[in-house]
Amino acid sequence: MADAGDGPILDSARLTGFCRAVFERVGMPEAEAALCAESLVEADLRGVASHGVVRLPIYAERLERGANNPRAVPRILRETRGTAVVDGDNGMGQVVGAWAMEVALRKAREGEPAWVSVRNSNHFGAAAWFAEYATRAEMIGIAITIGGINHMVPWGGAEALLGNNPFAIGMPMRGAPPMMLDMACSVAARGKIIVAAKEGTPIPPDWAVDRDGVPTTDAARALEGFVSPLGGPKGYALTLTMGLLSTMLSGAAFGREVTHMYEDFARPQNVGHLFAVLPVTAFEDLDTYYARMETAAAELRGARKAPGVARIHLPGEREALLRQARLGEGVPVAAAVMEELVALGLRLGVPPLK
Amino acid sequence: MADAGDGPILDSARLTGFCRAVFERVGMPEAEAALCAESLVEADLRGVASHGVVRLPIYAERLERGANNPRAVPRILRETRGTAVVDGDNGMGQVVGAWAMEVALRKAREGEPAWVSVRNSNHFGAAAWFAEYATRAEMIGIAITIGGINHMVPWGGAEALLGNNPFAIGMPMRGAPPMMLDMACSVAARGKIIVAAKEGTPIPPDWAVDRDGVPTTDAARALEGFVSPLGGPKGYALTLTMGLLSTMLSGAAFGREVTHMYEDFARPQNVGHLFAVLPVTAFEDLDTYYARMETAAAELRGARKAPGVARIHLPGEREALLRQARLGEGVPVAAAVMEELVALGLRLGVPPLK
């Protein structure tokens, strides 16, 4: 992804308004447009630029060209007390995912665990956003998705059959942001390799393999190849498992069925997700749970530090702190992204950002 | 762990018999002794020596000294239709975990997802062993545990507050071993650092940090320090989340409450686990599921290969192939481990292995 330091800093509410207007202009109803706008700007607020407004142009293009359905109506295909299979009607992943997570929450509010699988969806943005639906309801949330592009090889392979499949697990805290694991399965994001290639600097040997599956420190050759899983075969097994969980329980696309989000506008992507909600209260009194989580957090924060480390962060804490700051100070947008947003606004007749 | 290539190769049935006799001699009932013996030898059969008979001496010592309860009777503390909290009565983790997994399976057989949390358990061996309970029943199984020793630091820390917490996710295949993710959260096992220290060879810079939390390539200094999480902060978030999931839903020990499996025989370890079983049939017709899993497996296996790669393996496949071979050829046991087993047998009056 482009460096965010070279562009303007924008008020998050204005940025959200702009995104919302774009989504409406390409055919989305007001509420769904607002939801998608919020998801993008939330990612930027939290410093997860890769899932922020940088995605607005491709989302808009897919919606305009009919690759994604702007007026999708998700529905439940089959259901038990604790499970559901949702068809997303080829809607935006944010809309479909939020809808599916609400289904899971409704079930979990009865005090039982819920799992909801999804097919016929699209790229859903940041996984943590969905897990937070559960943590806000004082429950544990899990969100898993298959990636929108095959960027990874099976271990030992030289052919992209796997996405860099992200997942999030959120555990609620009282009076503090949730403990939030949110990760994809590669060592480094492809965006970092793009930057290195532009700068002509070498990359670490474990970041990528070339088009033949051989590890390379040459960023340009890495871009012709594939990103490497973290921990080698562990990351391969992890991304494969997350991909299978996202697709085999719903009929979503896997492996060769996966189309390229940025290159194929003819066919629906049929992206799959899997969501789980686990009510804490089924296992533990909420006060006890929160008190123990707080003790754990305090212990971790108070641990002896390595030289030069000022603060130990909990998973998701950096993002929550950044969000707090950026709500006041604004959101940095990379110059290249800003250029695209301006062009998009002009083309669609959306009032400019600044 | 010691190199297994320098010791004898033993028939797995005889090895199991020996382990069973040891467990019985230190007070375990016949069925539970057999279960624990099976768990250990299964790990060795699958090439996971770190969870194999190398653990028999410490298990026996803990049972003899009353640190683990040989005649534990697990019970359900609270329960809903889809959840349960199990107290393991300080029994062997294998016994308690198998019992808890049976509870989860019983619930899942009614067609709904089940989660069972466990407290007052102990080190449970290989996580995949429990996930396989579910895959044998044509369901998806998840097994998570907190480790029996704090070996890892919070990211940026220099104090061991985290275990290298393993988890397994197994997905059933038809007529083939399950797709089985089974991983801990460090880059490398501590055993590999022990070997490097003995040999005086350097270790890669991402394997460990020294006692001050600074990355080191000196294996001896690494042993005074802590193992590093895979993917840096990602692995930290992952191991922390797995640890919290294993303990916060059951009242099991976390952080400073965690005692040292090899050093503290006075207090029960109060190890926690979390198991989940997900019935495939709630989401997808079993035939469709199996057919799609088979297609996915065939695609991955048939992928273009990197130079020098003869075969692409699915997660858990190497282990399953090794198991098949070793059932016939026998199980290699490292010389140092063999010495300990012989001494243990002599001391307890168990007929020798050979």
Side-chain angles (χ1 to χ4, degrees):
Chain A
M1 298 302 140
D3 179 7
D6 61 356
I9 291 176
L10 300 176
D11 174 70
S12 63
R14 287 195 59 201
L15 194 55
T16 307
F18 176 80
C19 294
R20 199 175 53 224
V22 166
F23 284 124
E24 286 184 28
R25 202 60 61 108
V26 295
M28 290 187 76
E30 203 173 325
E32 283 82 350
L35 191 85
C36 289
E38 184 206 311
S39 159
L40 291 182
V41 178
E42 270 296 312
D44 279 315
L45 280 167
R46 296 165 57 90
V48 189
S50 57
H51 291 87
V53 294
V54 66
R55 302 277 186 168
L56 185 63
I58 183 66
Y59 284 159
E61 186 174 359
R62 291 190 67 86
L63 287 160
E64 272 187 296
R65 296 172 67 170
N68 291 20
N69 179 0
R71 308 190 81 84
V73 181
R75 68 199 164 100
I76 292 176
L77 294 177
R78 54 200 284 181
E79 187 171 19
T80 71
R81 233 165 21 221
T83 70
V85 179
V86 167
D87 184 301
D89 195 21
N90 193 28
M92 291 289 291
Q94 288 80 351
V95 172
V96 177
W99 196 89
M101 199 67 190
E102 289 291 357
V103 172
L105 272 174
R106 197 179 68 226
K107 292 173 180 291
R109 283 203 183 91
E110 290 169 27
E112 297 288 349
W115 290 85
V116 175
S117 72
V118 178
R119 76 179 187 198
N120 213 1
S121 182
N122 285 286
H123 192 264
F124 78 9
W129 196 66
F130 301 96
E132 278 202 353
Y133 274 74
T135 60
R136 277 195 297 269
E138 305 197 279
M139 298 195 252
I140 293 171
I142 302 176
I144 310 172
T145 189
I146 191 161
I149 307 169
N150 280 344
H151 270 322
M152 295 172 85
V153 299
W155 190 244
E159 183 180 353
L161 290 172
L162 295 169
N164 188 358
N165 303 326
F167 60 100
I169 304 177
M171 299 179 72
M173 303 277 293
R174 182 170 274 166
M179 199 83 82
M180 183 64 74
L181 166 71
D182 184 6
M183 60 182 278
C185 298
S186 66
V187 177
R190 198 159 180 278
K192 290 190 182 175
I193 304 174
I194 295 177
V195 171
K198 275 188 190 162
E199 292 172 352
T201 52
I203 56 171
D206 62 343
W207 278 20
V209 293
D210 66 16
R211 73 173 86 174
D212 292 322
V214 179
T216 181
T217 57
D218 180 330
R221 291 184 59 195
L223 283 184
E224 299 166 357
F226 319 97
V227 296
S228 292
L230 57 91
K234 289 186 183 189
Y236 153 55
L238 192 60
T239 206
L240 169 54
T241 301
M242 293 303 156
L244 292 172
L245 287 174
S246 301
T247 58
M248 294 292 145
L249 300 178
S250 61
F254 180 86
R256 294 226 165 84
E257 298 162 348
V258 173
T259 55
H260 196 298
M261 181 183 170
Y262 283 78
E263 291 170 9
D264 186 335
F265 297 86
R267 293 171 293 176
Q269 276 214 289
N270 190 14
V271 169
H273 321 299
L274 183 64
F275 301 103
V277 179
L278 194 49
V280 173
T281 50
F283 301 93
E284 182 64 279
D285 302 319
L286 215 45
D287 285 343
T288 308
Y289 166 85
Y290 280 129
R292 293 198 70 215
M293 286 291 283
E294 202 169 304
T295 302
E299 276 186 10
L300 292 163
R301 279 208 193 89
R304 189 172 157 248
K305 289 168 191 62
V309 173
R311 176 171 180 167
I312 289 173
H313 289 90
L314 304 175
E317 195 181 16
R318 278 179 197 280
E319 292 80 1
L321 290 169
L322 201 56
R323 179 180 188 278
Q324 213 45 48
R326 289 185 170 178
L327 277 175
E329 298 159 11
V331 173
V333 176
V337 174
M338 190 63 196
E339 244 175 70
E340 287 194 70
L341 296 186
V342 168
L344 185 66
L346 279 175
R347 187 164 66 74
L348 294 174
V350 172
L353 262 168
K354 54 162 204 173
Chain B
M1 298 300 140
D3 178 8
D6 62 355
I9 292 176
L10 300 175
D11 174 71
S12 63
R14 285 195 61 200
L15 193 55
T16 306
F18 176 80
C19 294
R20 198 174 54 224
V22 166
F23 283 123
E24 287 185 28
R25 203 59 62 105
V26 295
M28 289 187 77
E30 203 172 325
E32 283 82 349
L35 190 86
C36 288
E38 185 205 310
S39 160
L40 291 181
V41 178
E42 270 296 313
D44 279 316
L45 280 168
R46 296 165 57 90
V48 190
S50 57
H51 290 88
V53 294
V54 67
R55 302 278 186 169
L56 185 63
I58 183 66
Y59 284 159
E61 185 175 0
R62 291 189 68 84
L63 288 161
E64 271 186 298
R65 295 172 68 170
N68 290 22
N69 179 2
R71 308 189 82 83
V73 182
R75 69 199 164 98
I76 291 175
L77 293 177
R78 55 199 285 180
E79 187 170 18
T80 70
R81 235 165 18 220
T83 70
V85 180
V86 167
D87 184 300
D89 195 22
N90 193 29
M92 291 289 291
Q94 288 81 352
V95 171
V96 177
W99 197 88
M101 199 67 191
E102 289 292 356
V103 172
L105 272 174
R106 198 180 66 226
K107 291 173 181 293
R109 282 203 183 91
E110 289 168 29
E112 297 288 349
W115 291 84
V116 174
S117 72
V118 178
R119 78 180 186 197
N120 212 2
S121 182
N122 285 286
H123 191 267
F124 78 9
W129 196 64
F130 301 97
E132 278 202 353
Y133 273 75
T135 59
R136 277 194 297 270
E138 304 197 281
M139 298 195 253
I140 293 170
I142 302 176
I144 309 172
T145 189
I146 190 161
I149 307 168
N150 281 344
H151 270 324
M152 295 173 86
V153 298
W155 191 244
E159 184 180 353
L161 290 172
L162 296 169
N164 187 358
N165 303 326
F167 60 100
I169 304 177
M171 300 179 71
M173 302 279 291
R174 182 170 274 166
M179 200 83 82
M180 182 64 73
L181 166 70
D182 183 6
M183 61 181 279
C185 298
S186 66
V187 178
R190 199 160 179 277
K192 289 190 183 174
I193 303 174
I194 294 176
V195 171
K198 275 188 189 162
E199 292 173 351
T201 52
I203 57 171
D206 62 343
W207 278 20
V209 294
D210 67 17
R211 71 173 87 174
D212 292 322
V214 179
T216 180
T217 58
D218 180 330
R221 291 185 59 195
L223 283 183
E224 298 165 358
F226 318 97
V227 296
S228 292
L230 56 92
K234 289 186 181 189
Y236 154 55
L238 192 60
T239 206
L240 170 54
T241 301
M242 293 303 156
L244 292 172
L245 287 174
S246 302
T247 59
M248 294 292 145
L249 299 178
S250 61
F254 180 86
R256 294 225 165 82
E257 297 162 348
V258 173
T259 56
H260 196 297
M261 181 183 170
Y262 283 78
E263 291 170 7
D264 186 334
F265 297 86
R267 293 171 293 176
Q269 276 214 288
N270 189 15
V271 169
H273 321 301
L274 183 64
F275 300 103
V277 179
L278 195 50
V280 173
T281 50
F283 300 92
E284 183 62 280
D285 303 318
L286 216 43
D287 285 342
T288 307
Y289 167 84
Y290 281 128
R292 293 198 70 216
M293 286 291 282
E294 202 169 306
T295 302
E299 275 186 11
L300 292 163
R301 279 207 192 90
R304 188 173 158 248
K305 289 167 192 62
V309 172
R311 176 172 181 166
I312 288 174
H313 289 91
L314 304 175
E317 195 181 17
R318 278 179 198 279
E319 292 80 1
L321 290 170
L322 202 55
R323 179 180 188 278
Q324 213 46 48
R326 288 185 171 180
L327 277 175
E329 298 160 10
V331 174
V333 177
V337 174
M338 190 63 196
E339 243 175 69
E340 285 194 72
L341 296 187
V342 168
L344 185 66
L346 278 174
R347 187 166 65 74
L348 294 175
V350 172
L353 262 169
K354 54 164 206 173

